[in-house]
Amino acid sequence: MQISFAKKEREVIAKLGELSRKTVEATSTLRSFFDCYFKNECDKKQNFFKDIKRIEHEADEIRRGIISDIYKGLFLPDMREVIHSLTEGIDKIVNKCESVSKIVDYQHPNVPEHLKEKIIGQLDCAISAAEAFVVAVEKLFDNIDEVQHYVIEVERFEHNEDVIEEEVLRDIFSLQIPLAEKMQLKELVINVGDIVDRTEDASDILEVLLLKLAY
């Protein structure tokens, strides 16, 4: 089923799709940043770090534009509030990608070799969840009957990431390294996991919007 919208509302919907795609751009760039950091010979780490900051700034600009537009009388009031919450939820995903990149860039944590692949696995879940979320956003205003499938996909990748995160945390606290280093690694792993958690949170808000559109 496709919902009909006014021209100005369709412009906001297009911006919402653009904002959601920033989550894929941010998570993919963060994965490249980590991959580069884990390979000491890589000289593009700072370029990826700057790219993440740029993506975060661009997402912020799009978010502000959407919020400004919707409070000019577009959409029904109850839908307006949910769209506002959704833009904030999406922005939090991109913000978390930036904060994770800062942890690495500022702290330079020493990640044991056998944990690197698992952290990359966390990031792969983050990218997959973001990709499913983007499709859910696009389907919401195109074919709402298909949205639920992609919401469930986001939940699946969030669960997969949880499994990896728990395994990595167990590994960290079994290491024969100082407690301070364990806590530093724990902070990194939990923050990477928070990216997927925030994607699921945004997906939950999307479900509320789905209900308002469907009924």
Side-chain angles (χ1 to χ4, degrees), residues 47-61:
N47 291 340
F48 291 129
F49 182 62
K50 290 175 183 175
D51 283 343
I52 294 166
K53 293 180 73 174
R54 171 186 55 77
I55 295 163
E56 190 279 330
H57 176 73
E58 291 170 353
D60 221 32
E61 290 293 312

PDB file of all heavy atoms in Angstrom, residues 47-61:
ATOM      1  N   ASN A  47      42.278  10.168   7.194  1.00  0.00           N
ATOM      2  CA  ASN A  47      41.300  10.520   6.151  1.00  0.00           C
ATOM      3  C   ASN A  47      39.921   9.959   6.500  1.00  0.00           C
ATOM      4  O   ASN A  47      38.904  10.651   6.364  1.00  0.00           O
ATOM      5  CB  ASN A  47      41.740   9.976   4.785  1.00  0.00           C
ATOM      6  CG  ASN A  47      42.961  10.678   4.245  1.00  0.00           C
ATOM      7  OD1 ASN A  47      43.280  11.786   4.662  1.00  0.00           O
ATOM      8  ND2 ASN A  47      43.654  10.042   3.315  1.00  0.00           N
ATOM      9  N   PHE A  48      39.886   8.700   6.956  1.00  0.00           N
ATOM     10  CA  PHE A  48      38.615   8.097   7.358  1.00  0.00           C
ATOM     11  C   PHE A  48      38.028   8.811   8.574  1.00  0.00           C
ATOM     12  O   PHE A  48      36.813   9.026   8.655  1.00  0.00           O
ATOM     13  CB  PHE A  48      38.791   6.608   7.662  1.00  0.00           C
ATOM     14  CG  PHE A  48      39.085   5.767   6.447  1.00  0.00           C
ATOM     15  CD1 PHE A  48      40.164   4.891   6.429  1.00  0.00           C
ATOM     16  CD2 PHE A  48      38.284   5.838   5.320  1.00  0.00           C
ATOM     17  CE1 PHE A  48      40.445   4.110   5.310  1.00  0.00           C
ATOM     18  CE2 PHE A  48      38.538   5.056   4.193  1.00  0.00           C
ATOM     19  CZ  PHE A  48      39.620   4.196   4.191  1.00  0.00           C
ATOM     20  N   PHE A  49      38.899   9.196   9.498  1.00  0.00           N
ATOM     21  CA  PHE A  49      38.465   9.916  10.700  1.00  0.00           C
ATOM     22  C   PHE A  49      37.794  11.242  10.315  1.00  0.00           C
ATOM     23  O   PHE A  49      36.721  11.586  10.824  1.00  0.00           O
ATOM     24  CB  PHE A  49      39.668  10.162  11.609  1.00  0.00           C
ATOM     25  CG  PHE A  49      39.336  10.856  12.899  1.00  0.00           C
ATOM     26  CD1 PHE A  49      38.492  10.273  13.830  1.00  0.00           C
ATOM     27  CD2 PHE A  49      39.889  12.095  13.188  1.00  0.00           C
ATOM     28  CE1 PHE A  49      38.194  10.917  15.029  1.00  0.00           C
ATOM     29  CE2 PHE A  49      39.597  12.751  14.374  1.00  0.00           C
ATOM     30  CZ  PHE A  49      38.742  12.159  15.299  1.00  0.00           C
ATOM     31  N   LYS A  50      38.419  11.960   9.395  1.00  0.00           N
ATOM     32  CA  LYS A  50      37.853  13.230   8.926  1.00  0.00           C
ATOM     33  C   LYS A  50      36.552  13.008   8.157  1.00  0.00           C
ATOM     34  O   LYS A  50      35.619  13.814   8.249  1.00  0.00           O
ATOM     35  CB  LYS A  50      38.867  13.959   8.047  1.00  0.00           C
ATOM     36  CG  LYS A  50      40.068  14.502   8.813  1.00  0.00           C
ATOM     37  CD  LYS A  50      41.100  15.112   7.874  1.00  0.00           C
ATOM     38  CE  LYS A  50      42.321  15.584   8.646  1.00  0.00           C
ATOM     39  NZ  LYS A  50      43.392  16.087   7.730  1.00  0.00           N
ATOM     40  N   ASP A  51      36.493  11.906   7.408  1.00  0.00           N
ATOM     41  CA  ASP A  51      35.269  11.588   6.657  1.00  0.00           C
ATOM     42  C   ASP A  51      34.094  11.358   7.602  1.00  0.00           C
ATOM     43  O   ASP A  51      32.964  11.790   7.329  1.00  0.00           O
ATOM     44  CB  ASP A  51      35.481  10.344   5.787  1.00  0.00           C
ATOM     45  CG  ASP A  51      36.286  10.637   4.526  1.00  0.00           C
ATOM     46  OD1 ASP A  51      36.410  11.826   4.150  1.00  0.00           O
ATOM     47  OD2 ASP A  51      36.800   9.672   3.914  1.00  0.00           O
ATOM     48  N   ILE A  52      34.355  10.675   8.714  1.00  0.00           N
ATOM     49  CA  ILE A  52      33.290  10.412   9.684  1.00  0.00           C
ATOM     50  C   ILE A  52      32.785  11.725  10.279  1.00  0.00           C
ATOM     51  O   ILE A  52      31.570  11.929  10.426  1.00  0.00           O
ATOM     52  CB  ILE A  52      33.781   9.457  10.795  1.00  0.00           C
ATOM     53  CG1 ILE A  52      34.077   8.071  10.203  1.00  0.00           C
ATOM     54  CG2 ILE A  52      32.735   9.334  11.911  1.00  0.00           C
ATOM     55  CD1 ILE A  52      34.858   7.162  11.114  1.00  0.00           C
ATOM     56  N   LYS A  53      33.693  12.627  10.590  1.00  0.00           N
ATOM     57  CA  LYS A  53      33.297  13.936  11.120  1.00  0.00           C
ATOM     58  C   LYS A  53      32.473  14.702  10.093  1.00  0.00           C
ATOM     59  O   LYS A  53      31.487  15.368  10.439  1.00  0.00           O
ATOM     60  CB  LYS A  53      34.532  14.733  11.522  1.00  0.00           C
ATOM     61  CG  LYS A  53      35.286  14.144  12.706  1.00  0.00           C
ATOM     62  CD  LYS A  53      36.519  14.954  13.077  1.00  0.00           C
ATOM     63  CE  LYS A  53      36.158  16.244  13.740  1.00  0.00           C
ATOM     64  NZ  LYS A  53      37.347  16.979  14.228  1.00  0.00           N
ATOM     65  N   ARG A  54      32.863  14.606   8.825  1.00  0.00           N
ATOM     66  CA  ARG A  54      32.123  15.288   7.752  1.00  0.00           C
ATOM     67  C   ARG A  54      30.713  14.703   7.627  1.00  0.00           C
ATOM     68  O   ARG A  54      29.731  15.448   7.521  1.00  0.00           O
ATOM     69  CB  ARG A  54      32.871  15.126   6.421  1.00  0.00           C
ATOM     70  CG  ARG A  54      32.065  15.608   5.205  1.00  0.00           C
ATOM     71  CD  ARG A  54      32.770  15.313   3.902  1.00  0.00           C
ATOM     72  NE  ARG A  54      33.121  13.914   3.720  1.00  0.00           N
ATOM     73  CZ  ARG A  54      32.254  12.966   3.370  1.00  0.00           C
ATOM     74  NH1 ARG A  54      30.964  13.258   3.178  1.00  0.00           N
ATOM     75  NH2 ARG A  54      32.650  11.708   3.213  1.00  0.00           N
ATOM     76  N   ILE A  55      30.618  13.377   7.662  1.00  0.00           N
ATOM     77  CA  ILE A  55      29.314  12.717   7.555  1.00  0.00           C
ATOM     78  C   ILE A  55      28.406  13.133   8.709  1.00  0.00           C
ATOM     79  O   ILE A  55      27.211  13.406   8.519  1.00  0.00           O
ATOM     80  CB  ILE A  55      29.487  11.183   7.529  1.00  0.00           C
ATOM     81  CG1 ILE A  55      30.230  10.746   6.261  1.00  0.00           C
ATOM     82  CG2 ILE A  55      28.129  10.472   7.621  1.00  0.00           C
ATOM     83  CD1 ILE A  55      30.797   9.336   6.334  1.00  0.00           C
ATOM     84  N   GLU A  56      28.975  13.208   9.908  1.00  0.00           N
ATOM     85  CA  GLU A  56      28.196  13.618  11.083  1.00  0.00           C
ATOM     86  C   GLU A  56      27.676  15.043  10.909  1.00  0.00           C
ATOM     87  O   GLU A  56      26.511  15.346  11.231  1.00  0.00           O
ATOM     88  CB  GLU A  56      29.059  13.507  12.341  1.00  0.00           C
ATOM     89  CG  GLU A  56      28.306  13.684  13.652  1.00  0.00           C
ATOM     90  CD  GLU A  56      28.057  15.134  14.029  1.00  0.00           C
ATOM     91  OE1 GLU A  56      28.877  15.997  13.651  1.00  0.00           O
ATOM     92  OE2 GLU A  56      27.043  15.417  14.699  1.00  0.00           O
ATOM     93  N   HIS A  57      28.519  15.925  10.398  1.00  0.00           N
ATOM     94  CA  HIS A  57      28.112  17.324  10.167  1.00  0.00           C
ATOM     95  C   HIS A  57      27.001  17.395   9.114  1.00  0.00           C
ATOM     96  O   HIS A  57      26.017  18.130   9.293  1.00  0.00           O
ATOM     97  CB  HIS A  57      29.321  18.144   9.719  1.00  0.00           C
ATOM     98  CG  HIS A  57      28.984  19.558   9.360  1.00  0.00           C
ATOM     99  ND1 HIS A  57      28.664  20.513  10.302  1.00  0.00           N
ATOM    100  CD2 HIS A  57      28.889  20.183   8.146  1.00  0.00           C
ATOM    101  CE1 HIS A  57      28.392  21.658   9.698  1.00  0.00           C
ATOM    102  NE2 HIS A  57      28.516  21.487   8.397  1.00  0.00           N
ATOM    103  N   GLU A  58      27.153  16.631   8.043  1.00  0.00           N
ATOM    104  CA  GLU A  58      26.139  16.622   6.986  1.00  0.00           C
ATOM    105  C   GLU A  58      24.808  16.094   7.505  1.00  0.00           C
ATOM    106  O   GLU A  58      23.741  16.628   7.173  1.00  0.00           O
ATOM    107  CB  GLU A  58      26.623  15.786   5.806  1.00  0.00           C
ATOM    108  CG  GLU A  58      27.784  16.427   5.043  1.00  0.00           C
ATOM    109  CD  GLU A  58      28.420  15.493   4.021  1.00  0.00           C
ATOM    110  OE1 GLU A  58      28.053  14.302   3.976  1.00  0.00           O
ATOM    111  OE2 GLU A  58      29.290  15.968   3.269  1.00  0.00           O
ATOM    112  N   ALA A  59      24.876  15.039   8.324  1.00  0.00           N
ATOM    113  CA  ALA A  59      23.650  14.470   8.903  1.00  0.00           C
ATOM    114  C   ALA A  59      22.956  15.488   9.802  1.00  0.00           C
ATOM    115  O   ALA A  59      21.728  15.596   9.803  1.00  0.00           O
ATOM    116  CB  ALA A  59      23.985  13.205   9.696  1.00  0.00           C
ATOM    117  N   ASP A  60      23.748  16.225  10.546  1.00  0.00           N
ATOM    118  CA  ASP A  60      23.205  17.251  11.437  1.00  0.00           C
ATOM    119  C   ASP A  60      22.471  18.327  10.646  1.00  0.00           C
ATOM    120  O   ASP A  60      21.398  18.794  11.050  1.00  0.00           O
ATOM    121  CB  ASP A  60      24.335  17.859  12.257  1.00  0.00           C
ATOM    122  CG  ASP A  60      23.939  18.087  13.692  1.00  0.00           C
ATOM    123  OD1 ASP A  60      23.127  17.313  14.223  1.00  0.00           O
ATOM    124  OD2 ASP A  60      24.432  19.073  14.282  1.00  0.00           O
ATOM    125  N   GLU A  61      23.043  18.729   9.528  1.00  0.00           N
ATOM    126  CA  GLU A  61      22.422  19.745   8.674  1.00  0.00           C
ATOM    127  C   GLU A  61      21.091  19.242   8.107  1.00  0.00           C
ATOM    128  O   GLU A  61      20.097  19.978   8.071  1.00  0.00           O
ATOM    129  CB  GLU A  61      23.371  20.114   7.517  1.00  0.00           C
ATOM    130  CG  GLU A  61      24.610  20.899   7.947  1.00  0.00           C
ATOM    131  CD  GLU A  61      24.269  22.288   8.448  1.00  0.00           C
ATOM    132  OE1 GLU A  61      23.497  22.989   7.759  1.00  0.00           O
ATOM    133  OE2 GLU A  61      24.740  22.656   9.538  1.00  0.00           O
TER     134      GLU A  61
END
